[in-house]
Structures are given as structure tokens and as C-alpha cells.
Amino acid sequence: MMPIDFKTIDDFDVKDKTVLLRVDINSPVDPNSGIILDGTRMKLHSRTIKELATKGAKVVILAHQSRPGKKDFTTLVQHANVLSQTLNLDVNYVDGIFSDNACTAIKNMDSGDILLLENVRFFSEESLNRSPKEQSKTVIVKKLAPLIDIFVNDAFAAAHRSHTSLVGFTKVVPSAAGRVMETELKILLNSLENVEKPCVFVLGGMKAEDSIMVMENVLKNGTADFILTTGLVANITLLAAGIDIGEVNVNFINNKGYCDMVKKVKELFKTYKSQIIYPIDVAVNSDGNRVDVSTDKIPNNYIHDIGVNSIKEYAKIIRTAKTIFANGPAGVFEDPKFAIGTYDILNAIATSNGFSIIGGGHIAAAAVANGFDKSMDHISSGGGASISLLAGKSLVAVEALKDSINKH
């Protein structure tokens, strides 16, 4: 087990202390009714919230919902209701972040109380990406820091962002990682540091740039034995291999601005071609129907999934692996006709003997929706954050927690 170089809840006596807890409970919300459609993230953070409250802390929760301009950018009043039901504890809500009402509510809390502040992104400074030092001088920090004893960051899913509520408080008050943050970092970092071989990465989805950065990092540092490409990543890889994928698919890649990614994969082929596996067949959308075709006979139709023969070959490789990382769906899995690749790959991972880690986002949603989540060793709560770690990047909110050790 890697040493933990940041403080956790275990390092503090929280009884009778006011703890500012940053969580990520950003949830799907019906834009018309404001009703939360899925409370998964509430359940995820309930462990940290309940532990702090049970230990006698005054728990002040700071969170966001969506971003300005989006239809689901709304207040957190519904979140307080869902959290109350999830925790079976009263979660009070105040429609302010650092207003007089909010500050008074914090001052009047008793030990064990839980208070949810308003959507932190209602305050424009929150979404500015600046250094922790600069963020520590913002109005939110200046107003709330004097009212709190400890800052706990449990928002792993947002840990790659240098926003005020994620990094600003670490400069001015004692800080720690919550249980979600702690668990994610322990599992992901230990898996990368002490990877059991053979190690297979299954990379897909639409965010090809992220996946190809991961591909480059894990090939160069020797973590990955094989990269199985799916989704848009596979299309880019096929194009880099000189395969005619059809004009509509080439144009799609160009329009997404991924020409540089084609060049990047070509460069990786020079050293790692035997380790980068691409489909031998694909499924195209022909007038709304699924048609599986060999990669040497791809028509001018959109590719919406990997083909059935590729799925079989990928499953064989997955079942030989001792460690499996998967990120991004294999195709347009929202359409049942093109969900086969995603479903079968998740099934292969779930029934393998390897240690399995599933990235957040769509691939995690697909795993849960199809009942594979109970057979996976770890499903990450943060797609962007976990991808950043796998790509060899540091997470700014985690670095801020580490730096805070020497300041308090």
C-alpha cells in the first residue's frame, strides 16, 4: 500500500468542531420539475457525512449543481431533501453561501447538525481556475474560513479543477480528504503503482483526447501490456493505421478537432504497435440498422460500435488479464442495437479473474444499468479526475491537500 501523504478524517478529533465539507452531489435533474432523477452521488458521500455527524461535528456542506447557462443549473433545496432521506438524518438547507443568513445558520449549529449551503456556482468567482493561493483570497474563503475549524474535501470527481471551494480553504484552515476522496486515491494510485500483469486498458468513448493521453502515458511507463481501443478512440486508431473508415467518419474526427490525435497514435505505433489493438470489424448505422462489416470493407456510414468478431477477440484478451482498466463506452450504447460492444466488454470484465477498475461517466452508468457494478472491484466516481490520474497528471485539489499538511 502506498503511503498516504495527505490528512484524512482519522487525523482529526471532529467532536464539537465546525467542519466545512466539499462534496460532489451534482445530479441529473428534471429541468421542468427540479426533481432529482438519480441520487447515486448522494449515497456515495453519505458515508463521509454520516461519519462526521455521528462523531459530533457540525457539518456544513458545500456543493455545486451543473453550471450557469445549463437547464439543470438550480438551487440545492431538492438535494437537501434527498440527502435527508438517504442519511435518515435531518439536512437543513439555507439559500445562501456566505450571506448573513448562511453565516448565522452556521454559528447557530449544534454538534451533529448538518447544513447544506446554496449551490456554490451561484457565486461567479467559484468557477475561475486560479492557484490555491489566489483562491484563498476570494470572498467565499474570507467569509466562511473564520466560521470553520476544519475543511474536508470529499469531491474526488471535481479534484482536477482548481476552483475556490476545492482549493482555497486548504491554505487557511486545517484540511483533510473525506472517505470518497481517500478511497479513490488509495485504489487508483495503488493499482497504478503496484499493477499486476498482464494489464489491459480498454479505452473508448467520445473524449478521445483524454483516452489517447492515457494510452501514451501507460504505454511509456510500462503499466499497460495491451490497449484495446473502442468508440471514437478506435476510429482514430483505425485511421492512424491507414484503414479507410469512410469519409463521414474521417470528417467527424476532423470536425471534432482530433487530427493531432491521429498523428499521436501514428507516433505511438512506431514503438507500441503490437500493444495497441484495434477492431477487426465494426458496426455501422445503415438507415437505422446495425450492420457489422470487416474493417477492410467499411462503407461510407457512421461507425456506431465495434463489431461482434472484435468483441470476441477483446474478451479473450480481457480474460487473460490480472488488471483491467476501462474507460468510455464502446459505441452509441444509448441505442440498444449499438450497445452490444459496451455490454459484452463489461460482461467480459465482470466475469474475468482480474482486478477491475471502471472509469466514471458513461461507462460507469452503463455498468450500473446492466447490473455489472457488483462484479467490478472498483467503479470510480469521477471520470475526469480518474482519467487525469491515469494520464499521469496530478490533481490540483489533491496537491492542495498535500500542501496543507505543512501549513497547519
Side-chain angles (χ1 to χ4, degrees), residues 161-187:
R161 297 193 175 104
S162 193
H163 291 178
T164 298
S165 66
L166 295 159
V167 301
F169 292 96
T170 60
K171 288 286 182 185
V172 294
V173 291
S175 303
R179 296 307 186 197
V180 173
M181 180 78 80
E182 179 187 358
T183 301
E184 289 274 10
L185 292 172
K186 279 181 177 178
I187 291 175

mmCIF file of all heavy atoms in Angstrom, residues 161-187:
data_model
loop_
_atom_site.group_PDB
_atom_site.id
_atom_site.type_symbol
_atom_site.label_atom_id
_atom_site.label_comp_id
_atom_site.label_asym_id
_atom_site.label_seq_id
_atom_site.Cartn_x
_atom_site.Cartn_y
_atom_site.Cartn_z
ATOM 1 N N ARG A 161 -10.087 20.185 -10.843
ATOM 2 C CA ARG A 161 -10.398 21.596 -11.059
ATOM 3 C C ARG A 161 -9.837 22.461 -9.922
ATOM 4 O O ARG A 161 -9.956 22.115 -8.757
ATOM 5 C CB ARG A 161 -11.916 21.799 -11.137
ATOM 6 C CG ARG A 161 -12.563 21.072 -12.315
ATOM 7 C CD ARG A 161 -13.977 21.540 -12.532
ATOM 8 N NE ARG A 161 -14.533 20.921 -13.744
ATOM 9 C CZ ARG A 161 -15.398 19.921 -13.747
ATOM 10 N NH1 ARG A 161 -15.795 19.417 -12.599
ATOM 11 N NH2 ARG A 161 -15.850 19.430 -14.879
ATOM 12 N N SER A 162 -9.270 23.591 -10.303
ATOM 13 C CA SER A 162 -8.695 24.494 -9.302
ATOM 14 C C SER A 162 -9.689 25.607 -8.955
ATOM 15 O O SER A 162 -9.398 26.792 -9.103
ATOM 16 C CB SER A 162 -7.382 25.091 -9.824
ATOM 17 O OG SER A 162 -6.681 25.722 -8.778
ATOM 18 N N HIS A 163 -10.873 25.189 -8.498
ATOM 19 C CA HIS A 163 -11.923 26.144 -8.130
ATOM 20 C C HIS A 163 -11.814 26.520 -6.664
ATOM 21 O O HIS A 163 -11.243 25.790 -5.852
ATOM 22 C CB HIS A 163 -13.297 25.556 -8.429
ATOM 23 C CG HIS A 163 -13.586 25.418 -9.898
ATOM 24 N ND1 HIS A 163 -14.754 24.868 -10.383
ATOM 25 C CD2 HIS A 163 -12.861 25.767 -10.991
ATOM 26 C CE1 HIS A 163 -14.731 24.881 -11.719
ATOM 27 N NE2 HIS A 163 -13.594 25.411 -12.093
ATOM 28 N N THR A 164 -12.392 27.675 -6.322
ATOM 29 C CA THR A 164 -12.273 28.227 -4.970
ATOM 30 C C THR A 164 -12.633 27.221 -3.883
ATOM 31 O O THR A 164 -11.874 26.996 -2.943
ATOM 32 C CB THR A 164 -13.179 29.468 -4.822
ATOM 33 O OG1 THR A 164 -12.735 30.466 -5.733
ATOM 34 C CG2 THR A 164 -13.106 30.024 -3.413
ATOM 35 N N SER A 165 -13.809 26.605 -3.997
ATOM 36 C CA SER A 165 -14.297 25.726 -2.932
ATOM 37 C C SER A 165 -13.510 24.430 -2.832
ATOM 38 O O SER A 165 -13.649 23.695 -1.856
ATOM 39 C CB SER A 165 -15.776 25.408 -3.144
ATOM 40 O OG SER A 165 -15.953 24.644 -4.325
ATOM 41 N N LEU A 166 -12.682 24.145 -3.822
ATOM 42 C CA LEU A 166 -11.899 22.910 -3.832
ATOM 43 C C LEU A 166 -10.474 23.103 -3.330
ATOM 44 O O LEU A 166 -9.886 22.179 -2.772
ATOM 45 C CB LEU A 166 -11.873 22.325 -5.253
ATOM 46 C CG LEU A 166 -13.224 21.857 -5.791
ATOM 47 C CD1 LEU A 166 -13.209 21.779 -7.306
ATOM 48 C CD2 LEU A 166 -13.607 20.516 -5.195
ATOM 49 N N VAL A 167 -9.927 24.297 -3.536
ATOM 50 C CA VAL A 167 -8.510 24.502 -3.170
ATOM 51 C C VAL A 167 -8.265 25.704 -2.266
ATOM 52 O O VAL A 167 -7.227 25.788 -1.615
ATOM 53 C CB VAL A 167 -7.626 24.633 -4.437
ATOM 54 C CG1 VAL A 167 -7.728 23.389 -5.311
ATOM 55 C CG2 VAL A 167 -7.987 25.883 -5.251
ATOM 56 N N GLY A 168 -9.211 26.656 -2.185
ATOM 57 C CA GLY A 168 -8.969 27.896 -1.455
ATOM 58 C C GLY A 168 -8.839 27.735 0.043
ATOM 59 O O GLY A 168 -7.998 28.391 0.675
ATOM 60 N N PHE A 169 -9.648 26.853 0.629
ATOM 61 C CA PHE A 169 -9.652 26.711 2.093
ATOM 62 C C PHE A 169 -8.414 25.992 2.620
ATOM 63 O O PHE A 169 -8.071 26.131 3.791
ATOM 64 C CB PHE A 169 -10.917 25.973 2.541
ATOM 65 C CG PHE A 169 -12.174 26.767 2.330
ATOM 66 C CD1 PHE A 169 -12.940 26.580 1.189
ATOM 67 C CD2 PHE A 169 -12.576 27.717 3.250
ATOM 68 C CE1 PHE A 169 -14.096 27.317 0.979
ATOM 69 C CE2 PHE A 169 -13.733 28.463 3.060
ATOM 70 C CZ PHE A 169 -14.497 28.271 1.906
ATOM 71 N N THR A 170 -7.758 25.204 1.772
ATOM 72 C CA THR A 170 -6.594 24.428 2.234
ATOM 73 C C THR A 170 -5.435 25.328 2.670
ATOM 74 O O THR A 170 -4.560 24.887 3.413
ATOM 75 C CB THR A 170 -6.090 23.471 1.140
ATOM 76 O OG1 THR A 170 -5.703 24.235 -0.014
ATOM 77 C CG2 THR A 170 -7.165 22.477 0.739
ATOM 78 N N LYS A 171 -5.448 26.557 2.197
ATOM 79 C CA LYS A 171 -4.375 27.496 2.547
ATOM 80 C C LYS A 171 -4.577 28.136 3.917
ATOM 81 O O LYS A 171 -3.624 28.652 4.513
ATOM 82 C CB LYS A 171 -4.288 28.606 1.490
ATOM 83 C CG LYS A 171 -3.719 28.165 0.154
ATOM 84 C CD LYS A 171 -2.224 27.966 0.237
ATOM 85 C CE LYS A 171 -1.631 27.575 -1.103
ATOM 86 N NZ LYS A 171 -0.182 27.272 -0.980
ATOM 87 N N VAL A 172 -5.824 28.114 4.403
ATOM 88 C CA VAL A 172 -6.117 28.911 5.600
ATOM 89 C C VAL A 172 -6.666 28.127 6.790
ATOM 90 O O VAL A 172 -6.697 28.660 7.906
ATOM 91 C CB VAL A 172 -7.089 30.064 5.248
ATOM 92 C CG1 VAL A 172 -6.428 31.054 4.302
ATOM 93 C CG2 VAL A 172 -8.384 29.545 4.644
ATOM 94 N N VAL A 173 -7.128 26.893 6.578
ATOM 95 C CA VAL A 173 -7.602 26.080 7.706
ATOM 96 C C VAL A 173 -7.064 24.653 7.579
ATOM 97 O O VAL A 173 -6.758 24.196 6.474
ATOM 98 C CB VAL A 173 -9.152 26.024 7.782
ATOM 99 C CG1 VAL A 173 -9.731 27.371 8.159
ATOM 100 C CG2 VAL A 173 -9.758 25.539 6.495
ATOM 101 N N PRO A 174 -6.931 23.918 8.683
ATOM 102 C CA PRO A 174 -6.508 22.513 8.611
ATOM 103 C C PRO A 174 -7.433 21.735 7.684
ATOM 104 O O PRO A 174 -8.657 21.898 7.746
ATOM 105 C CB PRO A 174 -6.636 22.036 10.063
ATOM 106 C CG PRO A 174 -6.508 23.276 10.883
ATOM 107 C CD PRO A 174 -7.154 24.373 10.071
ATOM 108 N N SER A 175 -6.858 20.886 6.842
ATOM 109 C CA SER A 175 -7.640 20.245 5.781
ATOM 110 C C SER A 175 -7.376 18.749 5.685
ATOM 111 O O SER A 175 -6.286 18.276 6.030
ATOM 112 C CB SER A 175 -7.321 20.902 4.429
ATOM 113 O OG SER A 175 -7.579 22.290 4.473
ATOM 114 N N ALA A 176 -8.390 18.034 5.199
ATOM 115 C CA ALA A 176 -8.290 16.576 5.092
ATOM 116 C C ALA A 176 -9.108 16.073 3.919
ATOM 117 O O ALA A 176 -9.983 16.769 3.401
ATOM 118 C CB ALA A 176 -8.796 15.923 6.380
ATOM 119 N N ALA A 177 -8.811 14.842 3.517
ATOM 120 C CA ALA A 177 -9.609 14.157 2.497
ATOM 121 C C ALA A 177 -10.754 13.422 3.170
ATOM 122 O O ALA A 177 -10.589 12.828 4.241
ATOM 123 C CB ALA A 177 -8.738 13.162 1.729
ATOM 124 N N GLY A 178 -11.935 13.466 2.532
ATOM 125 C CA GLY A 178 -13.068 12.681 3.000
ATOM 126 C C GLY A 178 -12.925 11.238 2.559
ATOM 127 O O GLY A 178 -11.963 10.865 1.883
ATOM 128 N N ARG A 179 -13.882 10.406 2.916
ATOM 129 C CA ARG A 179 -13.769 8.966 2.643
ATOM 130 C C ARG A 179 -13.820 8.627 1.154
ATOM 131 O O ARG A 179 -13.130 7.701 0.700
ATOM 132 C CB ARG A 179 -14.868 8.206 3.392
ATOM 133 C CG ARG A 179 -14.762 8.303 4.902
ATOM 134 C CD ARG A 179 -13.390 7.901 5.430
ATOM 135 N NE ARG A 179 -13.373 7.868 6.896
ATOM 136 C CZ ARG A 179 -12.265 7.880 7.625
ATOM 137 N NH1 ARG A 179 -11.081 7.948 7.016
ATOM 138 N NH2 ARG A 179 -12.327 7.830 8.947
ATOM 139 N N VAL A 180 -14.638 9.355 0.378
ATOM 140 C CA VAL A 180 -14.680 9.091 -1.069
ATOM 141 C C VAL A 180 -13.335 9.436 -1.703
ATOM 142 O O VAL A 180 -12.762 8.643 -2.451
ATOM 143 C CB VAL A 180 -15.817 9.896 -1.751
ATOM 144 C CG1 VAL A 180 -15.736 9.757 -3.269
ATOM 145 C CG2 VAL A 180 -17.169 9.420 -1.257
ATOM 146 N N MET A 181 -12.833 10.613 -1.386
ATOM 147 C CA MET A 181 -11.534 11.049 -1.915
ATOM 148 C C MET A 181 -10.436 10.071 -1.509
ATOM 149 O O MET A 181 -9.619 9.639 -2.337
ATOM 150 C CB MET A 181 -11.215 12.446 -1.387
ATOM 151 C CG MET A 181 -9.884 13.004 -1.859
ATOM 152 S SD MET A 181 -9.929 13.641 -3.545
ATOM 153 C CE MET A 181 -10.673 15.255 -3.285
ATOM 154 N N GLU A 182 -10.418 9.709 -0.250
ATOM 155 C CA GLU A 182 -9.397 8.798 0.280
ATOM 156 C C GLU A 182 -9.437 7.441 -0.425
ATOM 157 O O GLU A 182 -8.400 6.911 -0.859
ATOM 158 C CB GLU A 182 -9.615 8.618 1.783
ATOM 159 C CG GLU A 182 -8.631 7.682 2.454
ATOM 160 C CD GLU A 182 -9.008 7.405 3.905
ATOM 161 O OE1 GLU A 182 -10.011 7.975 4.409
ATOM 162 O OE2 GLU A 182 -8.307 6.583 4.530
ATOM 163 N N THR A 183 -10.633 6.867 -0.551
ATOM 164 C CA THR A 183 -10.781 5.550 -1.179
ATOM 165 C C THR A 183 -10.359 5.569 -2.636
ATOM 166 O O THR A 183 -9.625 4.685 -3.103
ATOM 167 C CB THR A 183 -12.244 5.071 -1.064
ATOM 168 O OG1 THR A 183 -12.596 5.009 0.317
ATOM 169 C CG2 THR A 183 -12.427 3.710 -1.700
ATOM 170 N N GLU A 184 -10.827 6.584 -3.373
ATOM 171 C CA GLU A 184 -10.483 6.687 -4.795
ATOM 172 C C GLU A 184 -8.972 6.755 -4.990
ATOM 173 O O GLU A 184 -8.401 6.049 -5.835
ATOM 174 C CB GLU A 184 -11.134 7.934 -5.410
ATOM 175 C CG GLU A 184 -12.626 7.843 -5.577
ATOM 176 C CD GLU A 184 -13.030 7.174 -6.883
ATOM 177 O OE1 GLU A 184 -12.153 6.615 -7.577
ATOM 178 O OE2 GLU A 184 -14.226 7.200 -7.200
ATOM 179 N N LEU A 185 -8.314 7.607 -4.223
ATOM 180 C CA LEU A 185 -6.873 7.790 -4.395
ATOM 181 C C LEU A 185 -6.095 6.538 -4.007
ATOM 182 O O LEU A 185 -5.153 6.140 -4.693
ATOM 183 C CB LEU A 185 -6.399 8.989 -3.578
ATOM 184 C CG LEU A 185 -6.912 10.348 -4.077
ATOM 185 C CD1 LEU A 185 -6.559 11.450 -3.086
ATOM 186 C CD2 LEU A 185 -6.343 10.668 -5.452
ATOM 187 N N LYS A 186 -6.502 5.903 -2.905
ATOM 188 C CA LYS A 186 -5.818 4.680 -2.479
ATOM 189 C C LYS A 186 -5.909 3.600 -3.551
ATOM 190 O O LYS A 186 -4.906 2.974 -3.921
ATOM 191 C CB LYS A 186 -6.421 4.155 -1.163
ATOM 192 C CG LYS A 186 -5.915 4.857 0.083
ATOM 193 C CD LYS A 186 -6.547 4.239 1.325
ATOM 194 C CE LYS A 186 -6.005 4.876 2.604
ATOM 195 N NZ LYS A 186 -6.646 4.304 3.803
ATOM 196 N N ILE A 187 -7.114 3.377 -4.064
ATOM 197 C CA ILE A 187 -7.315 2.300 -5.041
ATOM 198 C C ILE A 187 -6.635 2.606 -6.364
ATOM 199 O O ILE A 187 -5.889 1.779 -6.909
ATOM 200 C CB ILE A 187 -8.823 2.028 -5.246
ATOM 201 C CG1 ILE A 187 -9.412 1.394 -3.986
ATOM 202 C CG2 ILE A 187 -9.054 1.119 -6.454
ATOM 203 C CD1 ILE A 187 -10.910 1.198 -4.018
#
